[in-house]
Amino acid sequence: MELLTGRAAFRAACDAARGRGVTVGLVPTMGALHAGHRSLLARARGECEFVAISIFVNPLQFGEAADLAAYPRDLQADLGVAEADGAGVVFAPAVEEMYASGEPEVTVDPGPLGSVLEGASRPGHFRGVLTVVAKLLHLAGPCRAYFGEKDAQQLELVRRMVRDLDLPAEIVACPTVRDADGLALSSRNALLGAEERRAGLALSRGLSAAAALLGAGEPRAALLRGAIEARVRAEPLAALDYAAVVDDATWTGVEEVLRPARALVAARVGAAGTRLIDNVRLDPPAVPRAAERAE
Ligand code: PAF
């Protein structure tokens, strides 16, 4: 495995792989690698002969300086994970390498979906995410790029950017990985104490409650949302940011879940206010066929 810190060297490694006729797989990360990232690497390994992982804590997507400073970093441990999981290249540039002329003047406008939900709580976040993802995709060149469904709004915005700007990447969505008790894996979980981690379970519990309600025949989005809010509000260490139910294709709010939708939740947990997000797809129960209805 090669550790590269320069943009030119990273581009050359990806070009060389394509020159050998192999498919390039890119797994963009901010490090603090966990089983969720490992599932992206495993999928990439299964589909691409050459796998590159980028590790870059992108200052452009953090609003609060304290949040950026607190973000967990452990490059040595990450290199061990990347090597064990068969990455061919780790691209781990310094901030000055990625933003050589300082904060960029030209950035990617995420459009209307960039300013709702996560975007409303974290102004400028998705502009920063899309700008760095665009840079990484340009450096990697034509590739398959792997993103987790845990960051569902990010995934949707990356898909829209690739579509609207004709970037030569195929975006591959990978399912959220959860601990046995349901907590969605996130690098931020490392910032939680035991009690806070337990409180964080309110998010997945709320989402499961909403899915169960829908499964039992309740399609009204307000009630599904209410089920999520109630679970989070019942947890003294958690402060709800938002709960929402949106159409899974258009990402606009829905009154009733009659087509595939997505339930989303965000909350701050514990004294340090660690921000956790989670989501699940909501599939309306299948309409019974006429013969079954008659029985
Ligand atoms: O999901 C992340 O870790 C980051 O937002 C990403 C996609 C690597 C961009 O910095």
Side-chain angles (χ1 to χ4, degrees):
M1 185 183 76
E2 249 188 313
L3 170 61
L4 304 174
T5 55
R7 284 170 295 163
F10 176 52
R11 172 173 274 154
C14 295
D15 283 347
R18 269 186 305 274
R20 298 193 297 273
V22 307
T23 306
V24 171
L26 174 66
V27 179
T29 80
M30 297 204 298
L33 301 180
H34 51 65
H37 298 113
R38 300 187 74 168
S39 76
L40 305 183
L41 279 167
R43 177 87 178 266
R45 283 274 298 150
E47 298 178 353
C48 310
E49 294 90 337
F50 177 85
V51 174
I53 178 170
S54 62
I55 297 177
F56 178 63
V57 182
N58 172 35
L60 215 59
Q61 68 188 74
F62 287 81
E64 301 155 26
D67 192 25
L68 173 61
Y71 200 82
R73 294 167 169 85
D74 190 346
L75 184 60
Q76 280 318 310
D78 289 346
L79 293 178
V81 172
E83 175 123 55
D85 286 358
V89 156
V90 174
F91 177 48
V95 172
E96 301 71 38
E97 175 67 14
M98 281 302 269
Y99 300 118
S101 46
E103 191 165 330
E105 290 178 4
V106 177
T107 56
V108 178
D109 179 348
L113 180 56
S115 55
V116 297
L117 302 167
E118 278 302 284
S121 298
R122 305 179 67 189
H125 171 65
F126 286 122
R127 176 183 297 276
V129 169
L130 292 191
T131 300
V132 83
V133 171
K135 285 168 71 77
L136 291 167
L137 292 177
H138 280 302
L139 291 171
C143 65
R144 290 168 70 84
Y146 295 80
F147 293 85
E149 283 177 359
K150 151 86 172 26
D151 296 304
Q153 193 176 359
Q154 165 175 285
L155 168 64
E156 178 64 20
L157 281 164
V158 168
R159 278 195 178 119
R160 291 182 185 193
M161 172 177 74
V162 164
R163 178 198 68 193
D164 291 351
L165 301 185
D166 289 317
L167 300 185
E170 191 180 325
I171 302 304
V172 183
C174 301
T176 301
V177 178
R178 297 177 182 280
D179 277 334
D181 56 11
L183 189 73
L185 295 195
S186 161
S187 301
R188 290 178 192 271
N189 294 354
L191 305 173
L192 302 174
E195 270 304 287
E196 295 170 340
R197 191 192 170 288
R198 199 196 44 71
L201 287 171
L203 280 75
S204 53
R205 215 180 291 129
L207 294 171
S208 299
L213 257 186
L214 178 67
E218 175 54 75
R220 286 170 292 178
L223 297 189
L224 304 179
R225 211 170 49 236
I228 304 169
E229 289 169 356
R231 298 311 182 286
V232 178
R233 292 213 165 103
E235 180 46 67
L237 288 183
L240 180 72
D241 184 354
Y242 62 80
V245 177
V246 299
D247 184 284
D248 198 38
T250 63
W251 279 73
T252 50
V254 292
E255 294 281 310
E256 294 197 336
V257 176
L258 304 173
R259 302 178 343 112
R262 197 161 285 274
L264 305 129
V265 60
R268 289 191 176 270
V269 174
T274 303
R275 199 148 182 293
L276 299 182
I277 59 172
D278 199 355
N279 72 90
V280 290
R281 191 175 136 115
L282 295 176
D283 285 308
V287 179
R289 280 173 299 164
E292 289 168 7
R293 276 203 300 265
E295 280 165 13

